[in-house]
Amino acid sequence: MALPLLLPLLAVGPASAAEPAPMPLGNVRSLHPGDPLAVTAVSGQAVNGDTITSPVLQKAGRMRMTAPRLTAAVTIACDARPGTYPLTLTSAGAARPAERAAPWSHMRVEPADEAARRACRNKVKPDREEHWAAHTTWPQSEWDVRSFRCPVCR
């Protein structure tokens, strides 16, 4: 009897797992501070290692292969002010990045009050992979990734 009640929970997954909004070339999307964004490219639009930048991103994103597309996962900064901002793609092989920057799309950042900004700082997670020093207690977070010696393995 409990199984039918559990199945909807398993299908949805954790409540905190927000799927990033996809952002293909040329789109305009409205977002709020703290929203995740998946900048997507098909073959020929970008290459692995290209960089996505914008003044309102928490940090730049790198295009990585997530077959069948390239994707850069980025997050709108919690202190982003309302307005329309460009997303720019910079070639990974550019000797002078400013010369190889190309407009990708635009984002409209919606207004957020102070309570929403505080909530944003609580919901924005660090990168999904962290590398902590070997001598620290493990794990430091759910994204802690490091090698360790198995005391019973040979």
Side-chain angles (χ1 to χ4, degrees), residues 53-80:
T53 58
S54 179
V56 293
L57 296 180
Q58 189 173 20
K59 70 178 200 171
R62 292 236 182 245
M63 287 289 193
R64 297 288 179 225
M65 180 53 73
T66 52
R69 294 183 169 79
L70 290 161
T71 304
V74 295
T75 303
I76 307 303
C78 292
D79 60 354

mmCIF file of all heavy atoms in Angstrom, residues 53-80:
data_model
loop_
_atom_site.group_PDB
_atom_site.id
_atom_site.type_symbol
_atom_site.label_atom_id
_atom_site.label_comp_id
_atom_site.label_asym_id
_atom_site.label_seq_id
_atom_site.Cartn_x
_atom_site.Cartn_y
_atom_site.Cartn_z
ATOM 1 N N THR A 53 30.086 34.184 -20.990
ATOM 2 C CA THR A 53 30.224 35.230 -19.981
ATOM 3 C C THR A 53 29.056 36.207 -20.048
ATOM 4 O O THR A 53 28.387 36.315 -21.078
ATOM 5 C CB THR A 53 31.531 36.021 -20.160
ATOM 6 O OG1 THR A 53 31.543 36.596 -21.468
ATOM 7 C CG2 THR A 53 32.754 35.143 -19.975
ATOM 8 N N SER A 54 28.835 36.891 -18.966
ATOM 9 C CA SER A 54 27.859 37.975 -18.875
ATOM 10 C C SER A 54 28.126 38.699 -17.567
ATOM 11 O O SER A 54 28.566 38.070 -16.591
ATOM 12 C CB SER A 54 26.427 37.441 -18.886
ATOM 13 O OG SER A 54 25.519 38.524 -18.771
ATOM 14 N N PRO A 55 27.849 40.006 -17.515
ATOM 15 C CA PRO A 55 28.080 40.736 -16.270
ATOM 16 C C PRO A 55 27.179 40.268 -15.118
ATOM 17 O O PRO A 55 27.464 40.578 -13.971
ATOM 18 C CB PRO A 55 27.783 42.191 -16.624
ATOM 19 C CG PRO A 55 27.293 42.215 -18.011
ATOM 20 C CD PRO A 55 27.410 40.865 -18.608
ATOM 21 N N VAL A 56 26.108 39.531 -15.394
ATOM 22 C CA VAL A 56 25.197 39.116 -14.325
ATOM 23 C C VAL A 56 25.355 37.657 -13.917
ATOM 24 O O VAL A 56 24.597 37.168 -13.086
ATOM 25 C CB VAL A 56 23.720 39.389 -14.702
ATOM 26 C CG1 VAL A 56 23.467 40.867 -14.796
ATOM 27 C CG2 VAL A 56 23.340 38.671 -15.966
ATOM 28 N N LEU A 57 26.338 36.965 -14.453
ATOM 29 C CA LEU A 57 26.554 35.580 -14.063
ATOM 30 C C LEU A 57 27.394 35.509 -12.801
ATOM 31 O O LEU A 57 28.286 36.335 -12.590
ATOM 32 C CB LEU A 57 27.253 34.801 -15.176
ATOM 33 C CG LEU A 57 26.484 34.637 -16.472
ATOM 34 C CD1 LEU A 57 27.314 33.850 -17.479
ATOM 35 C CD2 LEU A 57 25.138 33.974 -16.239
ATOM 36 N N GLN A 58 27.125 34.503 -11.984
ATOM 37 C CA GLN A 58 27.917 34.286 -10.786
ATOM 38 C C GLN A 58 29.378 34.073 -11.179
ATOM 39 O O GLN A 58 30.277 34.575 -10.527
ATOM 40 C CB GLN A 58 27.368 33.085 -10.043
ATOM 41 C CG GLN A 58 27.956 32.868 -8.694
ATOM 42 C CD GLN A 58 27.234 31.755 -7.962
ATOM 43 O OE1 GLN A 58 26.559 30.923 -8.567
ATOM 44 N NE2 GLN A 58 27.361 31.738 -6.662
ATOM 45 N N LYS A 59 29.605 33.312 -12.239
ATOM 46 C CA LYS A 59 30.934 33.152 -12.830
ATOM 47 C C LYS A 59 30.756 32.628 -14.247
ATOM 48 O O LYS A 59 29.695 32.116 -14.600
ATOM 49 C CB LYS A 59 31.833 32.241 -11.995
ATOM 50 C CG LYS A 59 31.459 30.797 -11.990
ATOM 51 C CD LYS A 59 32.455 30.007 -11.163
ATOM 52 C CE LYS A 59 32.405 28.551 -11.529
ATOM 53 N NZ LYS A 59 33.441 27.764 -10.944
ATOM 54 N N ALA A 60 31.797 32.769 -15.060
ATOM 55 C CA ALA A 60 31.737 32.307 -16.447
ATOM 56 C C ALA A 60 31.532 30.800 -16.484
ATOM 57 O O ALA A 60 31.898 30.082 -15.557
ATOM 58 C CB ALA A 60 33.025 32.689 -17.174
ATOM 59 N N GLY A 61 30.943 30.329 -17.581
ATOM 60 C CA GLY A 61 30.725 28.900 -17.762
ATOM 61 C C GLY A 61 31.513 28.380 -18.947
ATOM 62 O O GLY A 61 31.738 29.106 -19.907
ATOM 63 N N ARG A 62 31.938 27.129 -18.877
ATOM 64 C CA ARG A 62 32.667 26.489 -19.982
ATOM 65 C C ARG A 62 31.749 25.503 -20.680
ATOM 66 O O ARG A 62 31.039 24.740 -20.044
ATOM 67 C CB ARG A 62 33.879 25.741 -19.464
ATOM 68 C CG ARG A 62 34.927 26.648 -18.930
ATOM 69 C CD ARG A 62 36.234 26.382 -19.646
ATOM 70 N NE ARG A 62 37.234 27.241 -19.070
ATOM 71 C CZ ARG A 62 37.828 28.195 -19.753
ATOM 72 N NH1 ARG A 62 37.551 28.377 -21.013
ATOM 73 N NH2 ARG A 62 38.715 28.958 -19.189
ATOM 74 N N MET A 63 31.800 25.547 -22.000
ATOM 75 C CA MET A 63 31.055 24.579 -22.793
ATOM 76 C C MET A 63 31.683 23.202 -22.600
ATOM 77 O O MET A 63 32.889 23.038 -22.741
ATOM 78 C CB MET A 63 31.082 24.944 -24.277
ATOM 79 C CG MET A 63 30.220 26.123 -24.625
ATOM 80 S SD MET A 63 28.494 25.662 -24.497
ATOM 81 C CE MET A 63 27.736 27.040 -25.324
ATOM 82 N N ARG A 64 30.850 22.231 -22.240
ATOM 83 C CA ARG A 64 31.273 20.847 -22.057
ATOM 84 C C ARG A 64 30.297 19.951 -22.804
ATOM 85 O O ARG A 64 29.114 20.246 -22.887
ATOM 86 C CB ARG A 64 31.267 20.458 -20.574
ATOM 87 C CG ARG A 64 32.234 21.264 -19.746
ATOM 88 C CD ARG A 64 33.654 20.847 -20.069
ATOM 89 N NE ARG A 64 34.594 21.633 -19.295
ATOM 90 C CZ ARG A 64 35.681 22.171 -19.811
ATOM 91 N NH1 ARG A 64 35.977 22.011 -21.070
ATOM 92 N NH2 ARG A 64 36.493 22.863 -19.059
ATOM 93 N N MET A 65 30.796 18.854 -23.315
ATOM 94 C CA MET A 65 29.947 17.937 -24.062
ATOM 95 C C MET A 65 28.991 17.218 -23.129
ATOM 96 O O MET A 65 29.400 16.601 -22.153
ATOM 97 C CB MET A 65 30.787 16.916 -24.823
ATOM 98 C CG MET A 65 29.954 15.925 -25.614
ATOM 99 S SD MET A 65 28.745 16.681 -26.736
ATOM 100 C CE MET A 65 29.792 17.300 -28.013
ATOM 101 N N THR A 66 27.716 17.355 -23.414
ATOM 102 C CA THR A 66 26.668 16.581 -22.764
ATOM 103 C C THR A 66 25.807 16.068 -23.915
ATOM 104 O O THR A 66 24.781 16.636 -24.214
ATOM 105 C CB THR A 66 25.838 17.440 -21.773
ATOM 106 O OG1 THR A 66 25.395 18.608 -22.437
ATOM 107 C CG2 THR A 66 26.647 17.826 -20.560
ATOM 108 N N ALA A 67 26.350 15.041 -24.593
ATOM 109 C CA ALA A 67 25.812 14.533 -25.849
ATOM 110 C C ALA A 67 24.286 14.564 -25.868
ATOM 111 O O ALA A 67 23.665 14.193 -24.884
ATOM 112 C CB ALA A 67 26.324 13.125 -26.102
ATOM 113 N N PRO A 68 23.688 15.049 -26.914
ATOM 114 C CA PRO A 68 24.253 15.396 -28.218
ATOM 115 C C PRO A 68 24.624 16.880 -28.362
ATOM 116 O O PRO A 68 24.894 17.337 -29.458
ATOM 117 C CB PRO A 68 23.107 15.060 -29.167
ATOM 118 C CG PRO A 68 21.885 15.432 -28.395
ATOM 119 C CD PRO A 68 22.213 15.083 -26.958
ATOM 120 N N ARG A 69 24.618 17.640 -27.280
ATOM 121 C CA ARG A 69 24.907 19.071 -27.365
ATOM 122 C C ARG A 69 26.066 19.450 -26.459
ATOM 123 O O ARG A 69 26.429 18.721 -25.557
ATOM 124 C CB ARG A 69 23.683 19.878 -26.916
ATOM 125 C CG ARG A 69 22.508 19.724 -27.814
ATOM 126 C CD ARG A 69 21.367 20.616 -27.337
ATOM 127 N NE ARG A 69 20.330 20.676 -28.332
ATOM 128 C CZ ARG A 69 19.428 19.745 -28.522
ATOM 129 N NH1 ARG A 69 19.433 18.676 -27.777
ATOM 130 N NH2 ARG A 69 18.513 19.865 -29.448
ATOM 131 N N LEU A 70 26.601 20.650 -26.699
ATOM 132 C CA LEU A 70 27.530 21.265 -25.771
ATOM 133 C C LEU A 70 26.703 22.094 -24.804
ATOM 134 O O LEU A 70 25.743 22.748 -25.207
ATOM 135 C CB LEU A 70 28.513 22.175 -26.512
ATOM 136 C CG LEU A 70 29.528 21.443 -27.379
ATOM 137 C CD1 LEU A 70 30.126 22.390 -28.400
ATOM 138 C CD2 LEU A 70 30.602 20.849 -26.508
ATOM 139 N N THR A 71 27.066 22.078 -23.526
ATOM 140 C CA THR A 71 26.301 22.813 -22.524
ATOM 141 C C THR A 71 27.242 23.492 -21.546
ATOM 142 O O THR A 71 28.224 22.898 -21.106
ATOM 143 C CB THR A 71 25.381 21.860 -21.732
ATOM 144 O OG1 THR A 71 24.543 21.172 -22.653
ATOM 145 C CG2 THR A 71 24.522 22.610 -20.736
ATOM 146 N N ALA A 72 26.925 24.749 -21.220
ATOM 147 C CA ALA A 72 27.621 25.469 -20.148
ATOM 148 C C ALA A 72 26.588 25.756 -19.071
ATOM 149 O O ALA A 72 25.573 26.396 -19.331
ATOM 150 C CB ALA A 72 28.230 26.765 -20.672
ATOM 151 N N ALA A 73 26.833 25.269 -17.866
ATOM 152 C CA ALA A 73 25.920 25.506 -16.742
ATOM 153 C C ALA A 73 26.379 26.747 -16.000
ATOM 154 O O ALA A 73 27.513 26.808 -15.538
ATOM 155 C CB ALA A 73 25.911 24.302 -15.818
ATOM 156 N N VAL A 74 25.510 27.750 -15.926
ATOM 157 C CA VAL A 74 25.819 28.999 -15.247
ATOM 158 C C VAL A 74 24.660 29.365 -14.319
ATOM 159 O O VAL A 74 23.587 28.771 -14.394
ATOM 160 C CB VAL A 74 26.086 30.142 -16.257
ATOM 161 C CG1 VAL A 74 27.338 29.869 -17.072
ATOM 162 C CG2 VAL A 74 24.900 30.356 -17.181
ATOM 163 N N THR A 75 24.893 30.351 -13.458
ATOM 164 C CA THR A 75 23.872 30.800 -12.514
ATOM 165 C C THR A 75 23.835 32.322 -12.506
ATOM 166 O O THR A 75 24.889 32.971 -12.508
ATOM 167 C CB THR A 75 24.203 30.293 -11.087
ATOM 168 O OG1 THR A 75 24.306 28.874 -11.123
ATOM 169 C CG2 THR A 75 23.133 30.703 -10.087
ATOM 170 N N ILE A 76 22.621 32.890 -12.465
ATOM 171 C CA ILE A 76 22.471 34.338 -12.360
ATOM 172 C C ILE A 76 22.893 34.735 -10.949
ATOM 173 O O ILE A 76 22.437 34.149 -9.969
ATOM 174 C CB ILE A 76 21.005 34.770 -12.622
ATOM 175 C CG1 ILE A 76 20.499 34.209 -13.953
ATOM 176 C CG2 ILE A 76 20.874 36.286 -12.567
ATOM 177 C CD1 ILE A 76 21.304 34.571 -15.157
ATOM 178 N N ALA A 77 23.767 35.732 -10.837
ATOM 179 C CA ALA A 77 24.274 36.177 -9.538
ATOM 180 C C ALA A 77 23.143 36.700 -8.659
ATOM 181 O O ALA A 77 22.183 37.302 -9.150
ATOM 182 C CB ALA A 77 25.327 37.261 -9.737
ATOM 183 N N CYS A 78 23.258 36.476 -7.367
ATOM 184 C CA CYS A 78 22.228 36.917 -6.421
ATOM 185 C C CYS A 78 22.114 38.434 -6.354
ATOM 186 O O CYS A 78 21.060 38.960 -6.020
ATOM 187 C CB CYS A 78 22.511 36.348 -5.031
ATOM 188 S SG CYS A 78 22.316 34.549 -4.960
ATOM 189 N N ASP A 79 23.182 39.147 -6.671
ATOM 190 C CA ASP A 79 23.133 40.607 -6.621
ATOM 191 C C ASP A 79 22.869 41.240 -7.991
ATOM 192 O O ASP A 79 22.997 42.449 -8.157
ATOM 193 C CB ASP A 79 24.418 41.171 -6.020
ATOM 194 C CG ASP A 79 25.657 40.802 -6.822
ATOM 195 O OD1 ASP A 79 25.543 40.010 -7.788
ATOM 196 O OD2 ASP A 79 26.744 41.289 -6.481
ATOM 197 N N ALA A 80 22.461 40.433 -8.969
ATOM 198 C CA ALA A 80 22.166 40.950 -10.314
ATOM 199 C C ALA A 80 21.007 41.936 -10.247
ATOM 200 O O ALA A 80 19.991 41.672 -9.612
ATOM 201 C CB ALA A 80 21.839 39.811 -11.264
#
